Structure formats: structure tokens, C-alpha cells
Amino acid sequence: MNIEFRFLQKAIVDKNYISFTYEDKSYRNVKALKMDDENRVHCDKGIFEFGKIRKLVVLRERF
């Protein structure tokens, strides 16, 4: 299991904002809502494939 995957799971449970890059586009202050069985992350700004997420940062702020 990937360490970034575990950080993302913890951010979803704790309701922390996340920041990441996805296909060379930067996203900040994103609410990660849930992950499905196909490793897709459902957020308030869209649905993202976990394999394409880079530079994942879990922020201290909560929603």
C-alpha cells in the first residue's frame, strides 16, 4: 500500500483539505469526500484517478 494512499484515507476520515497536482494542473483547498473501489477520489471539484495524482499534501485546515 502506498503511503500517499494512506495519507489520503486519513484526510478523508479527518475531513482535512488536500492539495495536489493532476495532469499538470494544480488544485488547492480541495475537499476529499470519498474513494470508490476503482481508486477514484470523489472531491468537491470533481472526480480524480488516484494514479494520476502527484504531490499530494494534506492541509491542516478542516472543513
Side-chain angles (χ1 to χ4, degrees), residues 4-63:
E4 288 181 335
F5 187 77
R6 295 287 297 147
F7 279 133
L8 182 59
Q9 286 179 330
K10 183 72 170 148
I12 292 170
V13 170
D14 292 345
K15 295 187 178 186
N16 288 51
Y17 285 103
I18 60 172
S19 293
F20 57 89
T21 57
Y22 185 81
E23 295 181 343
D24 297 329
K25 188 173 179 186
S26 179
Y27 293 89
R28 295 182 184 197
N29 294 333
V30 177
K31 295 178 185 178
L33 303 174
K34 68 176 183 174
M35 287 193 63
D36 61 12
D37 296 334
E38 298 172 1
N39 284 337
R40 291 185 297 182
V41 182
H42 296 260
C43 302
D44 62 335
K45 297 186 181 182
I47 300 172
F48 305 95
E49 291 182 35
F50 180 74
K52 295 181 181 178
I53 292 177
R54 301 284 178 246
K55 298 181 183 177
L56 176 69
V57 177
V58 177
L59 305 175
R60 289 184 170 197
E61 295 86 25
R62 294 185 180 201
F63 59 89

